[in-house]
Amino acid sequence: MTNEVTVPLLPCASIDDIEAFYGVLGFRTTYKQRKPNACVGVQREDLHLQFFEIAGFDPEQSYGSCLVITADIEGLHQAFADGMRAAYGKVLVSGTPRMTRPRARKNADGLGGFSVIDPGGNWIRVFRNAATAPVPAATTAGRLAKALANAVVQADSRGSVGQAVRILDSALARPQADDDPVEQVEVLVYRAELAMVLHDPKTAGEMLARAQSVTLTEDESERAASAFDNADELAAALR
């Protein structure tokens, strides 16, 4: 048999909050009922999600999760980010709901991915389709890049933000003469993002200021462009 479709069914505290949030991301409501059980279905192109309401449900204790495989993680992330900016004036990077940025995941064979954590505390994990992923250029990762990769696994994949912070703080506390300045910027900006997840705007601001103060050549500035784009997004969210 072919053409089967699997639709995840995820928990939430309020189907109204779920419907409103996914509407911001460009989903349309396909089904909604109050009785006998409150549930809602949403769809964005070929992406289908359904949710059921549980009285007294705590999103912070949710284990709900699903995978979304796509050939264009950047395009989907950009669409979600644009929806958030239009509705909230910024991309949500802390609290619940929120969204992470696309990053390579060492625990997913280096494939890029990002996560949406919705009002139900469900992690919608978006990954690039391995069949369409470009072959990465051969590079030698420095110690800061390795620390960053480990921190991304902890925070973006496992939700262990505290462990990710410990990894990055340890790396930043031991600067070495041969550290790649671009890797330093990337670590500082990601540390700022994690500070915001932990509701620590003071540390976030300090990390962003440190990232801006790193001396870069023209070539290094081009390599760090994505990190600085993220830094601008974080700075806007701090205002």
Side-chain angles (χ1 to χ4, degrees):
M1 296 177 66
T2 59
N3 301 318
E4 294 90 347
V5 175
T6 298
V7 179
L9 187 58
L10 302 168
C12 67
S14 166
I15 58 173
D16 292 331
D17 290 347
I18 287 289
E19 183 181 31
F21 175 71
Y22 280 96
V24 165
L25 301 188
F27 287 74
R28 64 183 179 86
T29 301
T30 57
Y31 181 79
K32 187 177 185 180
Q33 71 172 34
R34 296 287 182 186
K35 296 180 179 180
N37 302 300
C39 60
V40 64
V42 296
Q43 176 183 355
R44 187 184 190 280
E45 298 179 343
D46 292 331
L47 178 51
H48 299 255
L49 299 169
Q50 293 192 13
F51 301 85
F52 60 97
E53 186 175 294
I54 301 176
F57 183 76
D58 181 3
E60 295 300 321
Q61 302 302 316
S62 177
Y63 286 91
S65 185
C66 74
L67 299 180
V68 175
I69 310 300
T70 177
D72 185 13
I73 59 171
E74 292 83 6
L76 191 59
H77 183 273
Q78 185 65 53
F80 288 173
D82 288 345
M84 287 184 177
R85 291 189 193 97
Y88 311 123
K90 62 184 179 181
V91 177
L92 304 180
V93 297
S94 63
T96 303
R98 65 182 185 276
M99 182 171 66
T100 68
R101 289 180 65 85
R103 296 185 180 92
R105 306 283 179 86
K106 68 175 271 188
N107 60 333
D109 297 325
L111 295 176
F114 71 93
S115 296
V116 174
I117 298 87
D118 70 22
N122 302 294
W123 284 62
I124 312 303
R125 304 172 188 270
V126 182
F127 283 96
R128 191 184 306 279
N129 188 333
T132 63
V135 177
T139 58
T140 301
R143 70 174 193 93
L144 291 176
K146 292 175 181 176
L148 179 61
N150 290 331
V152 168
V153 170
Q154 293 298 327
D156 285 16
S157 290
R158 299 175 181 170
S160 300
V161 179
Q163 181 60 27
V165 164
R166 286 187 284 274
I167 291 171
L168 297 185
D169 284 351
S170 176
L172 290 169
R174 297 178 289 106
Q176 297 181 11
D178 60 349
D179 283 340
D180 183 337
V182 175
E183 293 178 4
Q184 184 181 3
V185 169
E186 292 170 341
V187 167
L188 288 167
V189 172
Y190 188 50
R191 180 63 179 86
E193 182 175 327
L194 297 183
M196 294 181 68
V197 174
L198 294 174
H199 307 289
D200 183 3
K202 180 176 182 293
T203 297
E206 290 172 352
M207 293 296 164
L208 292 177
R210 286 178 61 182
Q212 292 290 344
S213 69
V214 176
T215 301
L216 301 172
T217 65
E218 183 176 349
D219 176 67
E220 289 168 342
S221 295
E222 292 179 2
R223 288 171 50 211
S226 178
F228 283 123
D229 287 344
N230 189 19
D232 290 342
E233 198 80 69
L234 296 173
L238 281 172
R239 299 189 190 109

